[in-house]
Amino acid sequence: MKLKIGLPKGSLQETTFKLFKNAGFSIKLLERSYVPTIDDPEVEGLVIRAQEMARYVEDGILDMGITGYDWVLEQDAKVVELVRLKYGKVGFRGVKWVVAVPNDSPIKTIEGLKGKKIATELVGYTKRFLKKRGIDATIEFSWGATEVKPPLLADAIIEVTETGASLRANNLRIIDTILESETVLIANRSAWKDEWKRQKMENITMLLKGALVAEEKVGLKMNVPRAKLGKITKILPSLHTPTISNLSDEHWVAIEVIIDEKTVRDIIPNLKRAGAQGIVEYPLNKVIP
């Protein structure tokens, strides 16, 4: 028996492959191929666009897949959500679907879209969202280059963004956010009921979560004079408590901790001044709480 997993092609592909590598799975894909090689004989993959993933998982063509939460909502897919994995095409963060109009547009709020033409790739969700708000507008599917359509081809657009840079570059301003999305791991309902497949999916989920947590953490280890142990441990944040080991010299101990990477540059100088020696920082692949 094999587990069939869908991997996203396009903007999420590189980050997804990196995350799987840190989770312990080596994925190789030849140029122009859509069937990757995965170093787990129990798993076979298929690389497809994230926009289509939820439908194939719902239909059982794939047992599980990685896509955007926005595309699950867009297709109104009936799937099992295993875990949210907050990462995107430029790093480990989520995305937003925003309403944008030209800088000189008189439209100031989402209510100003009544009777207007909107271009977007997220047609189904947009229609349902505006209907709930009582806003009657014309929604047109955009095949791409959505940012260049206002004002000639559309009055407004609803577009996905991580930083907003592309919108600003095209003289657009954001007036509202209709959806915040992140990468999600989903499963087929029938596959989730299968004992073997469920356990395999739970294992993969655990390892991916651990790899994602590790992206923001590093390990630190150092030697500390026993007399200064209390002072050093007050400086160190950690997931729980530092690991302290005795050294052959009874006047010294070794300390090891896992901390947020963003705090390391501030902590290391303080540790050195407090008496720590032989400080080593090292990267992590997985952190399983």
Side-chain angles (χ1 to χ4, degrees), residues 4-138:
K4 297 173 291 184
I5 182 169
L7 302 166
K9 180 176 175 60
S11 62
L12 288 176
Q13 181 176 316
E14 183 177 348
T15 314
T16 298
F17 281 24
K18 177 185 175 184
L19 184 63
F20 267 84
K21 182 175 180 59
N22 290 345
F25 299 89
S26 177
I27 302 176
K28 296 181 180 180
L29 184 67
L30 297 177
E31 187 177 358
R32 298 185 181 180
S33 174
Y34 294 89
V35 181
T37 300
I38 304 175
D39 66 342
D40 184 336
E42 296 179 340
V43 178
E44 59 183 25
L46 182 65
V47 176
I48 59 175
R49 288 175 60 84
Q51 292 90 327
E52 303 175 282
M53 189 74 69
R55 174 163 53 93
Y56 292 128
V57 173
E58 180 181 24
D59 292 344
I61 297 172
L62 298 168
D63 295 314
M64 66 186 303
I66 291 180
T67 184
Y69 179 62
D70 43 6
W71 299 117
V72 177
L73 294 179
E74 169 68 5
Q75 297 177 14
D76 198 21
K78 305 301 186 290
V79 293
V80 179
E81 181 180 313
L82 301 182
V83 66
R84 300 281 181 95
L85 301 166
K86 186 173 287 186
Y87 70 90
K89 62 184 179 181
V90 297
F92 291 83
R93 68 177 81 179
V95 298
K96 296 180 179 181
W97 283 88
V98 299
V99 183
V101 297
N103 287 328
D104 59 358
S105 171
I107 300 173
K108 305 296 183 184
T109 67
I110 197 168
E111 284 72 25
L113 296 176
K114 285 186 177 181
K116 304 299 184 180
K117 182 183 293 185
I118 305 168
T120 183
E121 193 176 352
L122 200 72
V123 172
Y125 179 83
T126 297
K127 287 182 176 179
R128 295 193 299 272
F129 178 87
L130 294 181
K131 183 178 181 180
K132 289 180 180 179
R133 299 285 292 267
I135 299 171
D136 185 16
T138 301

Side-chain angles (χ1 to χ4, degrees), residues 70-279:
D70 43 6
W71 299 117
V72 177
L73 294 179
E74 169 68 5
Q75 297 177 14
D76 198 21
K78 305 301 186 290
V79 293
V80 179
E81 181 180 313
L82 301 182
V83 66
R84 300 281 181 95
L85 301 166
K86 186 173 287 186
Y87 70 90
K89 62 184 179 181
V90 297
F92 291 83
R93 68 177 81 179
V95 298
K96 296 180 179 181
W97 283 88
V98 299
V99 183
V101 297
N103 287 328
D104 59 358
S105 171
I107 300 173
K108 305 296 183 184
T109 67
I110 197 168
E111 284 72 25
L113 296 176
K114 285 186 177 181
K116 304 299 184 180
K117 182 183 293 185
I118 305 168
T120 183
E121 193 176 352
L122 200 72
V123 172
Y125 179 83
T126 297
K127 287 182 176 179
R128 295 193 299 272
F129 178 87
L130 294 181
K131 183 178 181 180
K132 289 180 180 179
R133 299 285 292 267
I135 299 171
D136 185 16
T138 301
I139 314 299
E140 291 187 347
F141 178 76
S142 175
W143 291 95
T146 308
E147 298 96 330
V148 304
K149 295 190 174 179
L152 183 61
L153 302 177
D155 299 296
I157 65 171
I158 292 180
E159 179 69 334
V160 65
T161 182
E162 289 187 87
T163 65
S166 180
L167 297 173
R168 291 190 295 272
N170 284 279
N171 299 313
L172 299 174
R173 58 181 168 84
I174 298 171
I175 63 170
D176 210 337
T177 297
I178 69 167
L179 175 63
E180 293 190 15
S181 181
E182 51 201 12
T183 309
V184 63
L185 184 62
I186 57 175
N188 172 267
R189 287 182 169 183
S190 296
W192 186 244
K193 294 177 181 178
D194 180 279
E195 184 177 354
W196 182 87
K197 289 185 177 182
R198 180 169 184 156
Q199 184 175 46
K200 189 70 176 177
M201 287 189 279
E202 288 176 339
N203 292 346
I204 293 173
T205 301
M206 180 191 303
L207 295 171
L208 289 176
K209 287 171 63 178
L212 198 56
V213 171
E215 284 289 329
E216 299 177 346
K217 307 285 184 182
V218 294
L220 272 186
K221 55 185 178 181
M222 68 208 74
N223 295 331
V224 175
R226 191 178 295 274
K228 297 182 178 181
L229 181 57
K231 186 177 181 179
I232 294 290
T233 54
K234 287 181 180 179
I235 298 174
L236 289 170
S238 66
L239 288 180
H240 296 292
T241 56
T243 299
I244 302 174
S245 306
N246 293 320
L247 297 177
S248 56
D249 185 337
E250 63 181 13
H251 298 295
W252 288 78
V253 295
I255 294 181
E256 190 163 2
V257 293
I258 295 173
I259 64 175
D260 291 335
E261 184 178 21
K262 61 185 179 182
T263 66
V264 170
R265 65 183 183 186
D266 298 321
I267 288 177
I268 287 182
N270 293 334
L271 291 171
K272 182 65 177 177
R273 293 188 187 99
Q277 295 185 17
I279 302 171

